[in-house]
């Protein structure tokens, strides 16, 4: 039976928004699947290497040029390919066997790391080499991201998609805690070249995992045939399904206006609380701890509920407004942890909602749009909120990001409820006070 909404079927998320209490599931249920266990093991190794490379890459560019702007250019080079070509990556992901594609993309990322390692260890590295490697990695990511996202359902099946997506996020956040620390120690002890070498070699783990998978246990997905107009077909597909449009719109707002933490946290550490780079590192660690906790909590939920998505996004924006005016670091620090939890909840819930509401043969194109909207806003939101911080102060910049996120979440929540044929029910009776979305009654639907 198809996991995505058909032209004549009710929107898939409606089934997830019943008034019944959602069933719990084992936090690590997906790891019972051998193929996914191999995938996750390889991913934690390569993700750690990737975080090592990110930290080392920024440090190397800064040491070569002495310019923070050059570090910004490196970041832009990594994200620009997704903004320009992200949708084409989804077409490729739908057209070819995903396991084979991942062999190619993971292998290419390994070569990029080894390229920088060779140049750095030999003493010949220049800043344009780093730009080139960053842009090449960004191009590979255009294909790798939607392929990995959609390959999850092939490994675990539709019943475990949400749990696997949550564990993927937990995997990534765990590496975020480990990678920078290892990179700092390794770079200080033996130099940046060895950190790049470790990153290049780390991709042997996912390549080995892919090689050891049992293809007979994969959930077969129909491949899209080669033909014209497949990119437009993917966009038309999303446009016909509001239950897909609005989660994508929401993560676009959150990614562009709410996830500018490198700018905000560095400014709070340096300009507001005067704690320097050490405090900035602590803030990033607290954010990673919250994100990891959010991913693990999301892994326990069996169903995806629209009110969780909208509520978490509203709470995320409200917490940013609150954190913007935190009077001291003692109040700011716990709010960062909560922001990590809610930010990850928004991302995981939107991701799994979109995946489970999409036909398998369209999933690559839809997820490429999801990732393009979520990460493609970074080169736009970063300069904007950096300028706002310079002109009006970081507190104002942070607050405006939260206000925009909360307002967008409230609007998207109402549109999602309308798409799922829900209405807002408010009960102010003593002992019965609550606010929730409930299914419309038949008479209400007829009037609508």
């Amino acid at each position: 039976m198809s996991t995505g909404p058909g032209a004549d079927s009710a929107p898939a998320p409606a089934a997830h928004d019943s008034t019944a209490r959602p069933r719990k599931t084992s936090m690590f249920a997906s790891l019972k699947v051998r193929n996914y266990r191999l995938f996750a093991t390889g991913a934690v190794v390569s993700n750690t290497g990737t975080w090592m490379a990110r930290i080392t890459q920024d440090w190397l560019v800064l040491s070569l040029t002495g310019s923070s702007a050059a570090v910004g250019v490196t970041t832009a080079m990594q994200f620009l390919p997704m903004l320009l070509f992200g949708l084409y990556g989804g077409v490729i992901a739908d057209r070819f066997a995903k396991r084979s594609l991942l062999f190619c993309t993971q292998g290419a990322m390994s070569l990029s790391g080894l390229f920088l390692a060779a140049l750095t260890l030999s003493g010949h590295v220049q800043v344009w080499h780093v730009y080139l490697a960053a842009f090449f990695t960004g191009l590979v990511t255009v294909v790798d991201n939607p392929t990995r996202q959609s390959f999850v359902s092939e490994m675990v099946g539709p019943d475990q998609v949400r749990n696997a997506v949550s564990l993927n996020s937990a995997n990534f956040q765990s590496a975020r805690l480990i990678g920078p620390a290892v990179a700092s120690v390794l770079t200080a002890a033996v130099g940046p070249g060895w950190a790049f070498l470790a990153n290049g070699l780390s991709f042997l783990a996912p390549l080995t995992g892919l090689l050891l998978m049992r293809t007979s246990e994969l959930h077969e997905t129909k491949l899209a045939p080669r033909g014209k107009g497949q990119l437009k077909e993917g966009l038309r597909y999303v446009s016909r399904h509001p239950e897909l449009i609005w989660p994508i719109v929401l993560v676009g707002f959150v990614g562009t206006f709410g996830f500018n933490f490198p700018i905000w946290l560095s400014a709070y550490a340096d300009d507001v609380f005067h704690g320097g780079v050490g405090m900035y590192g602590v803030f990033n660690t607290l954010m990673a701890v919250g994100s990891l906790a959010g991913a693990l909590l999301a892994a326990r939920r069996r169903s995806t509920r629209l009110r969780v998505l909208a509520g978490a996004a509203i709470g995320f924006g409200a917490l940013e407004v609150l954190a913007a005016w935190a009077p001291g670091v003692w109040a700011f620090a716990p709010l960062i942890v909560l922001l990590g939890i809610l930010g990850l909840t928004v991302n995981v819930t939107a991701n799994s909602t979109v995946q489970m509401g999409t036909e398998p043969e369209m999933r690559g194109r839809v997820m490429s749009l999801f990732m393009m909207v979520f990460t493609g806003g970074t080169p736009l939101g970063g300069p904007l909120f950096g300028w706002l911080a310079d002109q009006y102060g970081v507190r104002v910049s942070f607050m405006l990001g939260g206000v925009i996120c909360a307002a967008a979440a409230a609007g998207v929540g109402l549109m999602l409820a309308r798409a799922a044929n829900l209405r807002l029910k408010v009960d102010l009776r003593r002992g019965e006070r609550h606010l929730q979305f409930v299914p419309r009654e038949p008479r209400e639907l007829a009037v609508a």
Side-chain angles (χ1 to χ4, degrees):
M1 183 171 64
S2 172
T3 60
D8 300 320
S9 62
H16 303 289
D17 246 304
S18 65
T19 56
R21 186 180 299 273
R23 293 176 296 168
K24 301 293 184 181
T25 187
S26 169
M27 185 178 291
F28 303 103
S30 298
L31 292 177
K32 296 177 182 178
V33 180
R34 180 181 181 275
N35 284 341
Y36 181 75
R37 194 162 59 246
L38 290 169
F39 177 85
T41 303
V44 75
V45 176
S46 64
N47 283 337
T48 301
T50 297
W51 276 108
M52 290 175 63
R54 286 187 183 182
I55 299 299
T56 307
Q57 177 180 271
D58 291 346
W59 181 90
L60 178 61
V61 170
L62 193 61
S63 64
L64 289 172
T65 65
S67 169
S68 296
V71 178
V73 171
T74 308
T75 302
M77 296 295 281
Q78 288 177 314
F79 286 104
L80 191 60
M82 180 62 71
L83 183 62
L84 297 177
F85 311 115
L87 292 177
Y88 293 97
V91 173
I92 295 172
D94 282 336
R95 187 178 293 170
F96 298 98
K98 294 171 182 58
R99 179 169 169 267
S100 300
L101 275 180
L102 288 174
F103 270 115
C104 298
T105 58
Q106 297 290 295
M109 289 183 180
S110 176
L111 292 177
S112 178
L114 295 175
F115 168 76
L116 275 183
L119 289 172
T120 306
L121 291 172
S122 64
H124 293 96
V125 69
Q126 298 179 38
V127 68
W128 71 268
H129 294 140
V130 183
Y131 291 162
L132 179 64
F135 187 76
F136 175 76
T137 301
L139 282 176
V140 176
T141 302
V142 166
V143 178
D144 185 76
N145 261 346
T147 304
R148 278 189 299 108
Q149 295 282 341
S150 52
F151 188 53
V152 168
S153 62
E154 291 193 14
M155 289 183 287
V156 302
D159 292 341
Q160 297 286 359
V161 166
R162 193 183 196 288
N163 180 260
V165 169
S166 301
L167 290 183
N168 282 352
S169 297
N171 188 319
F172 188 75
Q173 297 304 327
S174 299
R176 183 181 175 183
L177 288 172
I178 301 168
V182 174
S184 299
V185 172
L186 195 60
T187 300
V190 293
W194 294 99
F196 289 132
L197 179 61
N199 175 46
L201 295 177
S202 72
F203 288 95
L204 292 175
L207 288 170
T208 302
L210 290 168
L211 188 65
L212 294 176
M213 284 185 183
R214 297 170 181 163
T215 56
S216 60
E217 296 178 6
L218 294 174
H219 296 254
E220 186 177 355
T221 298
K222 180 181 178 182
L223 300 179
R226 183 180 180 86
K228 294 181 179 180
Q230 290 181 326
L231 182 60
K232 292 181 180 179
E233 182 184 4
L235 294 174
R236 283 196 301 268
Y237 179 85
V238 173
S239 70
R240 293 195 300 266
H241 296 88
E243 69 275 10
L244 300 180
I245 293 174
W246 293 114
I248 292 174
V249 169
L250 181 55
V251 297
F253 271 98
V254 172
T256 302
F257 300 106
F259 268 68
N260 297 292
F261 292 111
I263 296 168
W264 294 328
L265 296 184
S266 60
Y268 270 85
D270 192 35
D271 301 332
V272 178
F273 300 130
H274 309 291
V277 67
M279 184 177 286
Y280 177 52
V282 171
F283 286 166
N284 275 286
T285 300
L286 291 173
M287 179 68 70
V289 168
S291 299
L292 177 59
L296 292 176
L297 288 172
R300 288 182 60 83
R301 297 185 67 88
R302 184 180 295 274
S303 61
T304 298
R305 309 187 84 179
L306 296 179
R307 66 183 182 187
V308 172
L309 174 60
I314 292 172
F316 177 79
L319 272 178
E320 288 195 336
V321 175
L322 188 62
W325 302 105
V329 68
W330 55 270
F332 189 73
L335 291 174
I336 294 176
V337 177
L338 293 176
L339 281 169
I341 293 174
L342 289 181
L344 218 290
T345 299
V346 172
N347 190 13
V348 168
T349 306
N351 187 311
S352 54
T353 297
V354 171
Q355 286 215 48
M356 290 188 292
T358 304
E359 298 285 353
E361 61 269 21
M362 300 294 297
R363 195 166 286 143
R365 278 164 283 185
V366 174
M367 292 311 299
S368 69
L369 177 62
F370 179 95
M371 295 304 300
M372 186 188 76
V373 169
F374 182 63
T375 62
T378 300
L380 304 176
L384 171 61
F385 284 92
W387 177 82
L388 287 171
D390 289 340
Q391 295 296 315
Y392 304 102
V394 67
R395 290 188 185 274
V396 172
S397 175
F398 202 5
M399 180 193 71
L400 286 176
V403 168
I404 293 172
C405 283
V412 168
L414 291 174
M415 297 306 298
L416 282 169
R418 182 177 179 182
N421 291 324
L422 302 176
R423 64 177 178 86
L424 183 63
K425 180 181 179 181
V426 181
D427 193 335
L428 299 179
R429 291 176 297 173
R430 179 173 296 182
E432 298 288 338
R433 292 187 179 96
H434 67 272
L435 183 151
Q436 66 181 121
F437 287 104
V438 298
R440 291 181 184 272
E441 297 176 3
R443 184 170 57 85
E444 294 176 299
L445 293 174
V447 174

